[in-house]
């Protein structure tokens, strides 16, 4: 039978909670992780029964160090490593430690809170929460920068093709690579640009989300560098977050992919540039504060871990 994947190909919801946890160095970690795996399965089954139209789910990803610490199957997924920083001429894609990542989403905020609370209750004794971001849908799926986010996402069957590991890594078929970055925007500098200048940074029109023609689109625009070809796509589920009064607004970038190589190529284009030095102009206004890679096992694997 085909392995049952976690909900990595679902479309963006109105409300999201992202959580990253790091394990303490204590012997109880393994037993608690088994309980956690049972909980993740239970949470997903429960929301499907109780709130079938809420599009609610909880996706769990596991980092490289945690995979080894928990003595999960070896060999590991082929491309699961600790993310190495990408150092460009001006900007750096930083690396941050993450043992477990949770992507909790639903149309109803209350469901997200309850799932996050249940996970926290189990993990608190053996792990430390190092990141919790509450994302929200902004208008018609726009980032706080004012442009539609995720237009290049694959649709239909292509979401599984680009988001789910295939038979080339047979032991992990149905899983997914998960890469996340927390970006903080310099809104003061961004708002100082005219709409025309902002459009050149992104490579699309702001009002109606139409991509510029290739002979007009700047070579250092976000669209020109972040899109690495129709045969190399990822499933993005980015969400805006933050506090307007303190000007700490950002985007939580989240990518599910059948291979991390695709994400790596995109990041190299953005931070190093094509050619080298021609980096993504959006980085002058958006700074990554985190960068972590995880593997999302199938429900079948999670059941086995429990």
């Amino acid at each position: 039978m085909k392995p049952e994947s976690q909900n990595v190909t679902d479309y963006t919801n109105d409300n999201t909670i992202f959580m990253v946890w790091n394990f303490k160095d204590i012997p109880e970690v393994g037993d608690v992780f088994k309980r956690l795996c049972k909980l993740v399965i239970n949470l997903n089954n429960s929301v499907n029964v109780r709130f079938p139209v809420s599009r609610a789910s909880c996706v769990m990803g596991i980092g490289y160090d945690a995979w080894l610490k928990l003595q999960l199957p070896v060999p590991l997924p082929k491309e699961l490593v600790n993310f190495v920083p990408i150092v460009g001429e001006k900007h750096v894609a930083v690396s941050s430690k993450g043992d477990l990542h949770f992507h909790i989403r639903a149309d109803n905020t209350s469901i997200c809170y309850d799932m996050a609370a249940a996970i926290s209750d189990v993990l608190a004794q053996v792990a430390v929460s190092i990141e919790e971001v509450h994302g929200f849908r902004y208008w018609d799926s726009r980032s706080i920068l004012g442009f539609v986010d995720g237009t290049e996402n694959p649709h239909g069957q292509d979401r599984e093709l680009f988001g789910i590991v295939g038979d080339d890594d047979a032991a992990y078929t149905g899983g997914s690579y998960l890469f996340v970055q927390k970006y903080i925007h310099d809104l003061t500098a961004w708002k100082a640009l005219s709409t025309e200048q902002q459009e050149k940074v992104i490579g699309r029109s702001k009002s109606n989300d139409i991509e510029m023609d290739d002979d007009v689109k700047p070579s250092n625009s976000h669209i020109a560098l972040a899109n690495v070809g129709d045969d190399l796509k990822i499933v993005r589920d980015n969400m805006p977050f933050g506090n307007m009064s303190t000007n700490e607004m950002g985007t939580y970038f989240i990518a599910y992919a059948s291979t991390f190589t695709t994400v790596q190529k995109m990041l190299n284009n953005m931070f190093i540039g094509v050619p080298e030095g021609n980096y993504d102009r959006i980085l002058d206004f958006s700074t990554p504060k985190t960068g972590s890679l995880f593997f999302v096992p199938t429900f079948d694997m999670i059941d086995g871990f429990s």
Side-chain angles (χ1 to χ4, degrees):
M1 293 180 61
K2 184 178 179 181
E4 184 183 0
S5 301
Q6 294 192 63
N7 297 63
V8 302
T9 60
D10 286 3
Y11 283 88
T12 304
N13 285 36
D14 290 344
N15 304 284
T16 304
I17 296 178
F18 304 101
M19 294 195 299
V20 181
W21 292 75
N22 284 340
F23 287 123
K24 301 175 184 177
D25 190 18
I26 55 178
E28 295 84 1
V29 166
D31 289 338
V32 171
F33 180 70
K34 291 178 181 179
R35 288 175 50 206
L36 177 67
C37 288
K38 291 180 180 178
L39 175 63
V40 168
I41 292 173
N42 179 262
L43 289 175
N44 282 284
N45 288 341
S46 178
V47 294
N48 284 334
V49 172
R50 297 168 62 206
F51 311 105
V53 298
S54 69
R55 301 187 301 128
S57 64
C58 170
V59 176
M60 179 176 71
I62 305 170
Y64 175 83
D65 289 338
W67 196 281
L68 297 179
K69 186 180 186 71
L70 295 165
Q71 298 182 327
L72 300 182
V74 292
L76 280 66
K78 288 182 178 179
E79 296 190 24
L80 179 59
V81 295
N82 283 323
F83 176 62
V84 177
I86 298 174
V87 181
E89 194 175 275
K90 186 175 180 181
H91 301 287
V92 178
V94 299
S95 173
S96 54
K97 177 175 170 54
D99 284 337
L100 296 177
H101 185 281
F102 297 93
H103 179 192
I104 302 168
R105 52 189 165 182
D107 286 337
N108 187 310
T109 310
S110 303
I111 300 173
C112 293
Y113 278 114
D114 283 354
M115 287 198 286
I119 291 169
S120 299
D121 287 344
V122 170
L123 276 178
Q125 59 182 300
V126 299
V128 177
S129 174
I130 61 168
E131 196 75 73
E132 181 173 329
V133 174
H134 292 225
F136 59 93
R137 180 188 289 272
Y138 183 55
W139 294 113
D140 48 337
S141 291
R142 294 176 185 265
S143 76
I144 291 299
L145 299 179
F147 287 76
V148 175
D149 195 359
T151 302
E152 292 298 321
N153 260 347
H155 297 281
Q157 294 181 344
D158 283 347
R159 291 179 74 81
E160 182 172 337
L161 173 66
F162 293 115
I164 302 291
V165 174
D167 295 334
D168 54 331
D169 194 358
Y172 297 100
T173 298
S176 181
Y177 290 95
L178 163 63
F179 182 73
V180 298
Q181 290 175 301
K182 176 184 174 182
Y183 282 88
I184 297 295
H185 304 312
D186 184 347
L187 289 181
T188 301
W190 180 253
K191 291 176 180 178
L193 300 180
S194 66
T195 297
E196 182 181 3
Q197 289 172 322
Q198 290 179 358
E199 290 175 338
K200 288 181 178 178
V201 172
I202 302 298
R204 288 183 178 276
S205 60
K206 190 172 185 177
S207 61
N208 54 8
D209 190 38
I210 295 176
E211 185 173 347
M212 292 178 177
D213 292 336
D214 289 341
D215 58 346
V216 177
K217 181 170 48 185
S219 63
N220 66 346
S221 65
H222 181 60
I223 298 299
L225 292 170
N227 295 329
V228 292
D230 291 338
D231 295 330
L232 296 172
K233 287 184 175 290
I234 58 176
V235 176
R236 295 175 175 86
D237 206 351
N238 305 348
M239 294 290 274
F241 68 90
N243 298 295
M244 190 62 71
S245 62
T246 58
N247 198 29
E248 295 175 306
M249 302 298 295
T251 296
Y252 198 88
F253 170 73
I254 176 167
Y256 293 110
S258 59
T259 169
F260 180 62
T261 304
T262 299
V263 183
Q264 186 85 39
K265 181 176 177 59
M266 181 190 72
L267 294 172
N268 286 339
N269 283 5
M270 291 176 61
F271 285 85
I272 296 175
V274 181
E276 186 171 342
N278 187 54
Y279 64 86
D280 191 334
R281 179 84 164 93
I282 200 174
L283 297 176
D284 289 336
F285 307 93
S286 302
T287 302
K289 299 297 184 179
T290 67
S292 306
L293 175 64
F294 304 88
F295 188 77
V296 178
T298 63
F299 280 120
D300 306 76
M301 294 192 73
I302 292 176
D303 188 41
F305 297 161
S306 70

